[in-house]
Every structure is written in structure tokens, then in C-alpha cells.
Amino acid sequence: MYNPVKPLPHKIVNVKKETDLEYTFRVETKTKVKFGQFLQLSIPKIGEAPISVSDQGIGWLEFTIRNVGKVTNEIFEKKEGDTIFLRGPYGNSWPIEKFKDKNLVIIAGGTGVSPVRGMINYLSKNKDYVKSLHLICGFKNKECVLFKEDLKVWANTFNTTFTLDNEESKGFKKGFVTAFIKDIPFNTFGEDYEVVVVGPPMMMKFSGLELEKCGVDINKIWMSFERKMSCAIGKCGHCRIDEYYVCLDGPIFEYRIAKDLID
Amino acid sequence: MSYKLTLKEAQKLLDKLSLTYDIYAPKKLKAQGRYSDTDIIKYEKIKNIDEIEYREKSTYPMKEVISPIQQTIFYFTEDKYRESKVSTKPILVFSRACDINAIKVQTKIFIGNGGFVDYYYQRMYERIKFILMECDFESDTCFCVSMNANITNNYSLAVRFEDDGIHFEVKDKDFTNYFKGYPHSSFAPKFVMENKTKVHIPEIKDRNMLNKIKKSPMWKEYDKRCISCGACTIACSTCTCFLTRDLIYGDNSEVGERRRLSSSCQIDDFALVAGGGNYRTTAGDRMRYKVLHKFHDYKERFKDSHMCVGCGRCIERCPEYISITATVEKLNKEIERIEKEEASNV
Ligand code: SF4
Ligand code: SF4
Ligand code: FES
């Protein structure tokens, strides 16, 4: 009998420090994931944590992990060549077919850049997939900036706005991402656009409100949720909001639905 | 076909069944209750007919046979997770209609939800057959009729206990041979058709109403009353929520086991994410989450029954005398109030 919660060992092939608190781990695996999905990372003795895939290639997946809990703490002790246990992938994915030939807007804050990074990297290699990409990425301050090399590539490829909450720096404007949403030329897009928002709960909430203010159709906005998870297979109940399970029906929700969900 | 066996004959039958089946039944355990001088009734493996406590409702639900309060799911070493093993012997469980109906709910979640079959639930569930126990008592807290959980036909045998013997109805032909030679009886199990306690099932017509209910002040009462102990959900016939914990053996820190433990949405850290975000911070929020799951959300998802069988165990276990039936009636009043308010606003 197949056991969907059984973790399997995988080798860490690279560890990259992004910031003091965030490392990217590249893990050897044949597992294929869709953009926006997550896996359960497991450390014997410590437990499990749901981590979204921050990029993928042939034979590997990357996870960018913020050191905030018991499990992630232990993962940070891991080095190249060490073993990590994985199960998954779980959850739905960004509706990439819907984005084809559209003007795509991505608004990402902090670690929220992780669940869209793989998709953005794909789009930078497949430039004709979307009509245009407007990207707003926000971080707290200079020390918190993730994926510095990717940001450079993205800046050269797409219409980008990078922001820091409280300071100015080369290549970064000062302010919250929400302050820059009105600069996106939605009026030139007609009906041909989709919007992706991912980041901390408050950032997503206010981005949604700002987008509505800018006249954006609520049926064209997509958000990725993060909730407490234990099983990732719709059994443990921790991620449930009303009749939805974030691990099964999410992590990506249409804003039309997400905006009315009260935990 | 039905039979009546003397107690002695019934014991013989049980001995014979025990060769093939593990037999579980509600059993009275002395002085383990809340105040340590009260008895509790709990599902346990039994060998003797007189171990079965049939006169009263069990303190804890039958679901524990299939999804125990805690179980080891893996043994691990540094480089491997190995599933825990269980016996493959079939199981017979003496059970009441409400508890059998509760298993439908559990199964919807453990086997049905999202296309994932839970390995640990499945391996118990596929071994189980039920022996329906007729209810001839009525507890003040039962409201199975309101919840449509008073009747079931999901059983292999049915029993009625009498002072001088036990009636059996044999519904599953796997058991026919066990009864050869015993005198027939006209027994057919009766179901409870009315409870003293009745509940009106709330009708939440749309999301607008749902969200108004969520924001209602009615839940604040529980901030003060509910102590977030989780006793109600542990005693609940249908609740499934669990968490996972790793445990290491002594100083040899590379080997240990991963356990699954029942958890409760009523406890403070149920929705707490690593890093500190908590999505329901008050007892009132959590009561609202539980009650709406049982009387709205589950049904909305599975288009099935509600997620409550009216067993009343949560009412009996609550140290603060919080009653789900009273709460649901308050909810009904609140819905009525909101509807009136909406009507006067148009
Ligand atoms: S909510 Fe209460 S009455 Fe309903 S099934 Fe659970 S324990 Fe029984
Ligand atoms: S309702 Fe009662 S039993 Fe349930 S958590 Fe609150 S105090 Fe405990
Ligand atoms: S994480 Fe367990 S139900 Fe979603």
C-alpha cells in the first residue's frame, strides 16, 4: 500500500546563503513539480515543514528556507553532501496556461519571492510565453534581499520595480510594494492580463485592496497562502479554512475566493 | 436470521470469534475519570462478554479503535523511515449507531479528501466489521435523531443484551456458521427514534451570511468560558485532527519514532505557524471554527451529512459546562437576527 506521508532520503548538492536568515538548498531529485507547489521537508528527530520550491532544473529542486522554527533550524546545520528527507510535491500550481500571451503582473514580498522564482526564471528563458511581465519585488531592507543575481537578470528582462520598506539603495526604491501598484499600466492591458500576489498575509491583503482600487478585475488575481500544516494531504485539519484545505485546494487561490476567507 | 444465546453460550461464541477476530468493545475502567475517583468507559480489546459495558454510553468514542489518540507511524534511523507494523487480524467492534455513522465522516476525510488515502487509517478500516449495540438507555446529552445519525445498516451482527442472555441478529453471512444450532429469536434491532434533546440544524445560506456569523459578537462569550483544553474534540466521535511528533530513544539520538497524536482546534497553537503567526488567537475564534466546521464547512465540502452525530460526548467532557446544543441554538438565533437585520436594510 502506498504511503503518501513517507519521507524519502535525498542528497543536498549545494547550499547557498542568501541572507543571514535565508539559505537556498539544492537537492538532488527526479521529482517534477509545477510552479507554485511545495514539498514537506523532513528531519528525523525534529519533524516536518512545508517549503515551496524556489526553482528547479534537470535532476534538482531548490528550496529557499527562512530559519524560523525548530525544523528549519536543523536544516540550517546541513551541508553539501548531507541527507534531507522529502515527500511531495503537494498542492495546486500557478495557472501558467492562463498566463500565456497575457500581460502578467507579479507582486512578491520577502520570502514570497520563492514560490514565484521558478516561474519567473522560466519566463526569462521563454520570453515569448507572456506578452509582458511587470514585476514588483519588495524586501524589508538591504540585508533581506533574496536572489540578488536573479534580480539582476530579471531587471534586464522585464519591467521591474524592486523596493525596500524603509530605505533607499541602488536599484531599490523606498516604500512598500503596495505603493507601486498604481504605476502598473493596467489601462493599456485591456482584458489581457493576470496578476499574481504572494507574500506575508498583510502584504497580500493590502495589495488586493490596492489592485481593486486600480480597477483590476478580481477574477484575474491569484494569491498563494501559507498556513500551518502537518500532513499536507488533507487529513490533519491544520490548514483548513472553511470548506477549503490550503494543502489540497491551495496554496494558490483565486483572489475572488481568497478575499472572503476568514480563518 | 436472529438467535438468542445464554450468557454462557455467548461467551463460547466470543471465544470462537476471538480465534479469527480481535474484538473491541466499550469497557469500564475503574477510577480513571476526570476526578480520579470516577470510572471511564473506553474502547478496549476484550476476551469476555462481561467486559462489555452496554448499559451506558462510552466516555470516549469508538473511532479510537481505528484512529487512536496516539500511534507510532514511522521508526527512523539517520537514513531511513520505516512504517510501523500492525496486526492484519480482522476486527469486530461492538458499537452504537452514532459511532458507526461517525466513521462515515472519518472515512470521508481519511480516505476521501483530496484523493489521498491515509495509510494508517486504511490499514485499520479495511479490517473492521461492526456489531451494532441497540441503545436502550437515553442520556440527556444525546441528540442523534436531530443529526440523522440514529440509524445505520452498516453492521454484520446486531445485539440486544438481556439479563439472561443476548439476542443476535446475523446480517453478514460470514457469521452464519457461528450460530448453527442456537435457538432462533424474533429479535430485530430497534433504533432510537426520539431524543429528549433536540437541535435545529442551522441553515447558513451563503458566504455573506457565513462571514457575518464569523464576525458576530456571539463567539465572545467563549473567550471567557472556554479554557481551550481540547477535551471536547478528543471525546468527539467525528473529529480527525492530528499533529506529528518525533521522539528519540535515549542518548542514541539518531534513532527514534514519528508519532501521530490527536490534536484539537480548540487549543491555542493549532493554527500557529513557524515564525509566530497565529490565525485564531482567542477561544471564541476557535469555538467558532469548530462549531462552523461541524454545522457548515464539512457539509459544504463533502455535500454529505453534517460533521456531528449528536453523541453528546463533548457536552459531558467539558469542564466549563459548554454545550454544543446550546451553542447551536444560539447560532440559530444569531442567523435569525442577521436575516431580520438584512430584511430591514433593503
Ligand atoms: S460535536 Fe459533540 S455531539 Fe457532535 S459528534 Fe462531536 S462530541 Fe458528539
Ligand atoms: S469547549 Fe469545553 S472541553 Fe472544549 S476546549 Fe473549551 S473548555 Fe475545553
Ligand atoms: S496540512 Fe493537514 S490537512 Fe492540510
Side-chain angles (χ1 to χ4, degrees):
Chain A
M1 192 169 34
Y2 170 67
N3 185 350
V5 297
K6 183 170 183 160
L8 295 174
H10 292 273
K11 204 165 97 189
I12 297 172
V13 290
N14 187 262
V15 182
K16 181 167 187 279
K17 181 174 172 181
E18 305 279 351
T19 72
D20 283 348
L21 273 182
E22 281 128 336
Y23 289 11
T24 296
F25 296 82
R26 181 175 287 198
V27 179
E28 197 175 66
T29 172
K30 290 198 182 72
T31 306
K32 293 260 169 294
V33 303
K34 295 185 205 140
F35 298 125
Q37 285 191 302
F38 66 96
L39 279 85
Q40 284 284 102
L41 268 54
S42 205
I43 303 283
K45 306 183 282 183
I46 309 294
E48 298 184 296
I51 308 283
S52 59
V53 175
S54 63
D55 205 1
Q56 57 184 308
I58 294 163
W60 56 267
L61 294 175
E62 276 186 3
F63 302 92
T64 301
I65 302 173
R66 191 175 164 79
N67 192 3
V68 287
K70 237 179 15 183
V71 185
T72 49
N73 213 341
E74 196 69 18
I75 296 173
F76 271 57
E77 299 292 311
K78 300 268 175 197
K79 313 236 160 358
E80 193 181 311
D82 286 352
T83 298
I84 192 164
F85 288 82
L86 304 178
R87 58 183 181 90
Y90 300 113
N92 63 359
S93 54
W94 298 113
I96 183 106
E97 331 71 51
K98 273 209 164 75
F99 300 164
K100 196 164 176 31
D101 299 324
K102 301 253 179 77
N103 296 288
L104 183 62
V105 176
I106 298 177
I107 305 160
T111 39
V113 182
S114 288
V116 283
R117 177 176 170 237
M119 182 165 70
I120 301 172
N121 281 339
Y122 172 82
L123 294 175
S124 74
K125 285 183 212 115
N126 298 273
K127 289 196 195 62
D128 297 334
Y129 191 87
V130 288
K131 209 179 255 176
S132 74
L133 174 61
H134 288 260
L135 178 63
I136 307 178
C137 293
F139 302 95
K140 204 163 170 184
N141 53 41
K142 232 162 63 190
E143 285 69 47
C144 293
V145 175
L146 297 170
F147 313 126
K148 295 184 190 79
E149 283 136 49
D150 292 318
L151 293 185
K152 275 185 213 142
V153 176
W154 299 346
N156 290 328
T157 319
F158 307 117
N159 304 297
T160 55
T161 307
F162 300 144
T163 69
L164 302 174
D165 292 352
N166 306 311
E167 61 192 41
E168 223 166 304
S169 175
K170 193 169 168 288
F172 291 87
K173 292 179 176 162
K174 181 178 157 182
F176 293 112
V177 289
T178 41
F180 301 92
I181 290 175
K182 59 177 180 331
D183 300 338
I184 294 167
F186 285 109
N187 54 352
T188 66
F189 293 164
E191 292 291 294
D192 263 358
Y193 67 92
E194 298 287 341
V195 185
V196 161
V197 183
V198 49
M202 281 302 141
M203 171 265 172
M204 292 203 287
K205 184 176 171 197
F206 288 110
S207 298
L209 293 174
E210 181 63 21
L211 285 163
E212 285 192 65
K213 240 187 166 168
C214 295
V216 171
D217 180 353
I218 60 166
N219 294 303
K220 294 181 186 294
I221 307 172
W222 307 84
M223 290 184 174
S224 182
F225 276 29
E226 223 176 43
R227 285 297 180 278
K228 164 99 158 209
M229 287 187 189
S230 176
C231 71
I233 58 167
K235 314 298 172 206
C236 77
H238 287 272
C239 72
R240 187 183 62 81
I241 312 171
D242 300 345
E243 70 268 38
Y244 298 102
Y245 286 76
V246 174
C247 67
L248 301 175
D249 311 315
I252 292 146
F253 287 91
E254 299 170 57
Y255 178 60
R256 178 178 61 82
I257 291 167
K259 73 199 263 292
D260 288 334
L261 294 181
I262 303 173
D263 279 273
Chain B
M1 191 66 87
S2 295
Y3 305 87
K4 178 155 183 189
L5 278 64
T6 64
L7 292 176
K8 234 173 147 181
E9 288 165 341
Q11 181 58 48
K12 261 196 173 150
L13 172 73
L14 198 76
D15 292 341
K16 216 168 150 199
L17 285 168
S18 298
L19 299 174
T20 311
Y21 298 90
D22 277 340
I23 300 174
Y24 285 82
K27 183 175 170 180
K28 193 165 256 179
L29 304 175
K30 286 279 166 222
Q32 294 198 349
R34 254 197 282 163
Y35 306 109
S36 75
D37 54 352
T38 47
D39 299 340
I40 62 162
I41 305 169
K42 196 171 181 307
Y43 272 80
E44 298 252 313
K45 212 185 271 182
I46 58 143
K47 288 267 171 238
N48 299 311
I49 282 288
D50 59 12
E51 288 176 275
I52 305 169
E53 180 50 77
Y54 60 88
R55 293 171 208 89
E56 297 167 64
K57 175 160 70 185
S58 64
T59 320
Y60 292 102
M62 184 267 281
K63 72 171 185 194
E64 288 181 17
V65 176
I66 311 179
S67 49
I69 300 253
Q70 64 162 305
Q71 63 178 318
T72 299
I73 59 172
F74 291 110
Y75 294 96
F76 58 76
T77 56
E78 220 172 335
D79 52 7
K80 204 179 161 106
Y81 280 79
R82 192 166 45 77
E83 275 101 359
S84 61
K85 290 208 169 64
V86 287
S87 150
T88 52
K89 203 170 168 184
I91 298 171
L92 268 174
V93 192
F94 282 85
S95 182
R96 299 187 192 283
C98 61
D99 273 324
I100 295 175
N101 283 319
I103 295 305
K104 263 203 296 200
V105 171
Q106 292 242 319
T107 304
K108 275 255 148 79
I109 295 173
F110 277 119
I111 295 185
N113 202 20
F116 288 103
V117 175
D118 184 68
Y119 177 91
Y120 302 95
Y121 186 86
Q122 171 75 15
R123 71 181 184 181
M124 296 303 287
Y125 179 73
E126 65 191 11
R127 290 158 55 204
I128 284 208
K129 287 188 172 186
F130 298 117
I131 303 179
L132 174 73
M133 285 194 289
E134 206 180 43
C135 291
D136 68 345
F137 62 89
E138 155 125 44
S139 124
D140 284 346
T141 59
C142 291
F143 58 103
C144 55
V145 179
S146 300
M147 300 317 299
N148 267 325
N150 52 322
I151 298 173
T152 181
N153 62 11
N154 179 15
Y155 61 88
S156 294
L157 302 171
V159 289
R160 175 184 295 162
F161 291 86
E162 283 174 355
D163 288 342
D164 62 342
I166 304 174
H167 292 273
F168 284 85
E169 184 201 19
V170 182
K171 198 157 89 62
D172 176 341
K173 58 179 178 344
D174 282 5
F175 295 90
T176 312
N177 282 338
Y178 287 97
F179 290 87
K180 270 203 184 126
Y182 288 125
H184 287 188
S185 124
S186 60
F187 166 65
K190 285 202 199 81
F191 294 101
V192 172
M193 298 310 285
E194 196 179 357
N195 305 123
K196 271 179 253 158
T197 303
K198 297 181 178 64
V199 174
H200 299 97
I201 309 300
E203 280 291 336
I204 298 171
K205 60 178 195 295
D206 54 22
R207 187 157 295 275
N208 176 42
M209 176 58 87
L210 182 68
N211 281 349
K212 279 189 177 159
I213 293 166
K214 286 189 184 179
K215 291 176 192 151
S216 155
M218 76 166 273
W219 307 108
K220 284 224 167 62
E221 172 192 339
Y222 303 99
D223 287 351
K224 291 195 205 81
R225 289 182 67 200
C226 171
I227 58 167
S228 303
C229 64
C232 49
T233 60
I234 293 297
C236 179
S237 311
T238 62
C239 280
T240 60
C241 291
F242 61 81
L243 52 80
T244 321
R245 250 305 118 88
D246 283 6
L247 188 115
I248 48 171
Y249 299 149
D251 295 335
N252 186 357
S253 62
E254 298 312 323
V255 292
E257 54 192 75
R258 177 162 289 175
R259 289 198 181 162
R260 179 181 285 185
L261 311 170
S262 296
S263 73
S264 169
C265 62
Q266 299 305 284
I267 289 175
D268 177 44
D269 64 2
F270 184 80
L272 182 75
V273 294
N278 192 345
Y279 290 91
R280 280 174 300 280
T281 51
T282 67
D285 285 344
R286 295 188 288 269
M287 181 64 70
R288 181 256 297 154
Y289 185 77
K290 177 184 82 176
V291 171
L292 290 176
H293 190 209
K294 303 223 164 273
F295 288 87
H296 174 268
D297 305 338
Y298 172 85
K299 186 172 182 180
E300 186 68 23
R301 182 170 184 90
F302 295 102
K303 311 290 176 212
D304 192 39
S305 64
H306 278 301
M307 196 191 176
C308 170
V309 293
C311 70
R313 290 189 177 105
C314 55
I315 307 171
E316 283 162 35
R317 299 320 294 158
C318 180
E320 301 299 315
Y321 305 101
I322 292 169
S323 147
I324 187 108
T325 52
T327 306
V328 169
E329 292 306 350
K330 279 179 196 162
L331 174 59
N332 284 326
K333 284 217 180 75
E334 189 60 7
I335 293 172
E336 225 176 276
R337 188 191 64 79
I338 295 169
E339 271 168 355
K340 272 201 195 116
E341 196 179 272
E342 281 179 346
S344 66
N345 282 346
V346 283

